[in-house]
Amino acid sequence: MLIRVNSNKTAKPVPKLSELARQNAVWSEFKYPRGSEIFGEAEPADYVYQIRRGAVRTYKLLSDGRRQIGAFHLQGDILGVENDEVHRFTAEAIVETTLWTAKRRRLFGRLAKGDISAANHIRDLVTITLEHAENHLVLLGCQNSLEKVAAFLLELDRRLEQPDVMVLPMRRCDIADYLGTTLETVSRALSSLQEERILSLVGTNHRGIILHDRSRLAQRATSA
Amino acid sequence: MLIRVNSNKTAKPVPKLSELARQNAVWSEFKYPRGSEIFGEAEPADYVYQIRRGAVRTYKLLSDGRRQIGAFHLQGDILGVENDEVHRFTAEAIVETTLWTAKRRRLFGRLAKGDISAANHIRDLVTITLEHAENHLVLLGCQNSLEKVAAFLLELDRRLEQPDVMVLPMRRCDIADYLGTTLETVSRALSSLQEERILSLVGTNHRGIILHDRSRLAQRATSA
DNA sequence: CGACTCCTTGACAGCGTTCAACAGTAGTGG
DNA sequence: CCACTACTGTTGAACGCTGTCAAGGAGTCG
């Protein structure tokens, strides 16, 4: 039995625009095909981006191909707000993605002019990124594979806010590189959680996930 | 053969005071004994600290005792600069540590008054913390145990700037919780590197480390 | 001297990786 | 319409890295 899942057609309109987006009306829209690079690590950070539709992964690569995904960015998220002049991650569209872009200088120019509220707002954005990275450290350093997958699902459940079926935009491989494990281990953990009736995998490539018991899933996410 | 290592007596005077420290003359000095808590996770962030002497670990704890050390803070480092009202980590003195403290409100009050340079400086501090955390993610998610230990040694070598003997203030257990592994694995990796003549372990508890070949150590730190 | 802390080392088990085979789906072109 | 290919995910089996448990050594301190 397969339940057909439409990818994102029923998603709600782009959530609350951030302060940053509101303050600057001059955003241009661009469309990135699946797998295309939005910006590269160590490239000049000339633009700031907001996701209108789609999903983005940001990652660092080691010379031998190992990859650590630092974050997934979903509809409404801002990315590319670097304090430095260059990006510290590579950003790629996971699925076909529509972005709004704005000149970074236009934002940071306001700082030079002494716009304190813009400065505070950018600091807040950096802080949110930092908090996420700090929690990610605990995940990578302290959790076993089942806990990692459970925590990942809870994070995405919270962020996607789709009550019925959560549709993952990313592949197992992306999840694995986010969690510091392998795609096989992710697949096994998901099968195991399905075995326990905590969730159901549905749709093409099992990208759809129905959470039956969030509280039991939360138990799996810490101190298994 | 044992070489006696004096712990920190020959350390250079506290390095370049940060902008933050210079701007605010009203710092009070406090001494924390080994193992004592400086501030706790989720406690109000009322003070900002600079390390005059000693070393500090900042970490998060899981309910079952698992610990992830986010960073080690050495002489001259600033810590406790939170954007939020509370600390997101617990901070403990690794050895007897002397700190200078300043009221956080005194710093952040300047932001409220529109002090753009103070705002920028705090944003820079947060950004540095973020960069460290991002590199830490790669370490935890992509590296094997030998690479982790090698990378850790290189980081401390760079920060301690003691050309001859690097004296670790922390225990093997602390290193393990920083690297997401166990103290036994850390010990084995160090022994292995000593076996390869890349370094020598010296002094009480083998806290002293002489790096014989930094370039070979650097090779071990990536793509082993 | 004895208790304690910290580190090292060995033996062993287990979790997770690696390698491989297979299944389901989408896309393409004859 | 169907064959063929490409892509993604699942599952099994074997291996190996690392965690766990245990013992012992070295140094410190009262």
Side-chain angles (χ1 to χ4, degrees):
Chain A
M1 179 199 69
L2 285 187
I3 302 176
R4 179 148 295 278
V5 180
N6 53 354
S7 47
N8 227 352
K9 305 248 177 70
T10 60
K12 62 188 183 314
V14 172
K16 55 199 174 308
L17 285 181
S18 97
E19 188 78 13
L20 197 63
R22 266 192 273 115
Q23 285 180 354
N24 293 267
V26 284
W27 293 77
S28 312
E29 186 168 306
F30 287 97
K31 189 174 280 191
Y32 292 80
R34 199 177 80 122
S36 61
E37 181 174 305
I38 297 161
F39 53 79
E41 187 176 345
E43 282 181 9
D46 294 331
Y47 293 90
V48 170
Y49 307 82
Q50 191 192 26
I51 301 180
R52 303 302 295 176
R53 186 180 201 79
V56 172
R57 58 182 170 242
T58 48
Y59 63 84
K60 284 176 184 282
L61 267 186
L62 297 187
S63 55
D64 60 351
R66 283 178 286 184
R67 182 180 68 158
Q68 179 61 47
I69 292 182
F72 294 113
H73 306 268
L74 307 175
Q75 192 170 248
D77 289 353
I78 304 254
L79 69 154
V81 180
E82 311 287 355
N83 199 21
D84 318 300
E85 292 300 313
V86 297
H87 292 293
R88 291 189 306 273
F89 284 86
T90 301
E92 277 178 4
I94 298 175
V95 293
E96 182 177 88
T97 298
T98 304
L99 298 180
W100 279 3
T101 74
K103 275 278 188 194
R104 179 172 165 275
R105 254 193 309 158
R106 193 178 292 268
L107 300 172
F108 280 63
R110 305 176 55 145
L111 302 187
K113 297 195 196 85
D115 184 333
I116 193 73
S117 84
N120 287 338
H121 185 250
I122 288 176
R123 202 186 60 239
D124 288 344
L125 285 176
V126 175
T127 300
I128 288 173
T129 309
L130 175 59
E131 282 187 56
H132 182 270
E134 289 169 346
N135 293 328
H136 202 176
L137 288 182
V138 177
L139 192 85
L140 292 173
C142 294
Q143 316 263 93
N144 63 32
S145 62
L146 191 61
E147 293 171 331
K148 286 177 176 179
V149 171
F152 167 76
L153 291 176
L154 289 170
E155 181 193 352
L156 242 65
D157 179 48
R158 180 175 52 76
R159 291 172 60 195
L160 283 171
E161 292 176 355
Q162 293 171 352
D164 45 351
V165 178
M166 170 165 66
V167 179
L168 306 180
M170 71 288 289
R171 303 190 287 253
R172 301 293 189 255
C173 176
D174 293 324
I175 301 175
D177 287 349
Y178 178 74
L179 298 178
T181 181
T182 61
L183 66 95
E184 292 94 337
T185 299
V186 171
S187 181
R188 277 183 246 270
L190 288 171
S191 297
S192 163
L193 290 170
Q194 183 169 232
E195 192 79 17
E196 293 192 68
R197 308 257 179 270
I198 291 177
L199 54 80
S200 293
L201 304 172
V202 299
T204 300
N205 283 340
H206 284 185
R207 291 289 177 87
I209 295 183
I210 302 173
L211 297 183
H212 300 307
D213 194 336
R214 286 177 172 78
S215 68
R216 276 210 294 155
L217 184 61
Q219 287 174 10
R220 293 294 182 289
T222 47
S223 61
Chain B
M1 179 199 69
L2 284 189
I3 302 176
R4 179 149 296 278
V5 180
N6 53 355
S7 47
N8 228 351
K9 304 249 176 67
T10 59
K12 63 188 181 312
V14 173
K16 55 198 176 309
L17 285 180
S18 98
E19 187 77 14
L20 197 63
R22 264 192 276 117
Q23 287 181 353
N24 292 268
V26 283
W27 292 76
S28 312
E29 186 168 306
F30 287 97
K31 189 174 278 191
Y32 291 82
R34 200 177 78 122
S36 61
E37 181 173 307
I38 297 161
F39 53 80
E41 188 177 344
E43 283 182 8
D46 294 332
Y47 293 91
V48 170
Y49 307 83
Q50 190 191 26
I51 301 180
R52 304 300 295 175
R53 187 181 201 78
V56 172
R57 58 180 169 244
T58 47
Y59 62 85
K60 285 176 185 281
L61 268 186
L62 297 187
S63 55
D64 60 350
R66 283 178 287 184
R67 181 179 68 156
Q68 179 61 47
I69 292 183
F72 295 114
H73 306 268
L74 307 175
Q75 192 171 247
D77 289 352
I78 305 254
L79 68 153
V81 180
E82 311 286 356
N83 200 20
D84 318 299
E85 293 299 313
V86 297
H87 292 293
R88 292 190 305 274
F89 285 86
T90 301
E92 276 178 5
I94 297 174
V95 293
E96 181 177 88
T97 298
T98 304
L99 297 180
W100 280 3
T101 76
K103 275 279 188 192
R104 179 172 165 278
R105 253 193 310 159
R106 193 179 291 269
L107 300 171
F108 280 62
R110 304 176 57 144
L111 301 186
K113 295 195 197 87
D115 184 333
I116 192 73
S117 82
N120 287 338
H121 185 249
I122 288 176
R123 202 186 60 239
D124 288 343
L125 285 175
V126 175
T127 301
I128 288 172
T129 308
L130 175 59
E131 282 186 55
H132 182 270
E134 288 169 346
N135 293 328
H136 202 174
L137 288 183
V138 177
L139 192 85
L140 292 173
C142 294
Q143 317 263 95
N144 62 33
S145 63
L146 191 61
E147 293 171 332
K148 286 177 176 178
V149 171
F152 167 77
L153 291 175
L154 288 171
E155 180 192 354
L156 242 66
D157 179 49
R158 181 176 51 77
R159 290 173 60 194
L160 284 172
E161 291 177 354
Q162 293 172 350
D164 44 351
V165 178
M166 171 166 63
V167 179
L168 305 180
M170 71 288 289
R171 303 190 287 254
R172 300 291 189 257
C173 175
D174 293 324
I175 301 176
D177 286 349
Y178 177 73
L179 298 177
T181 180
T182 62
L183 66 95
E184 293 93 338
T185 298
V186 171
S187 181
R188 276 183 246 271
L190 288 171
S191 297
S192 164
L193 290 170
Q194 183 169 231
E195 191 80 16
E196 293 192 69
R197 308 255 179 272
I198 290 177
L199 54 79
S200 293
L201 304 171
V202 299
T204 299
N205 281 341
H206 284 184
R207 292 288 178 87
I209 295 183
I210 302 173
L211 297 183
H212 300 308
D213 194 335
R214 286 176 172 79
S215 66
R216 276 210 294 156
L217 184 61
Q219 286 174 12
R220 294 293 182 289
T222 47
S223 61

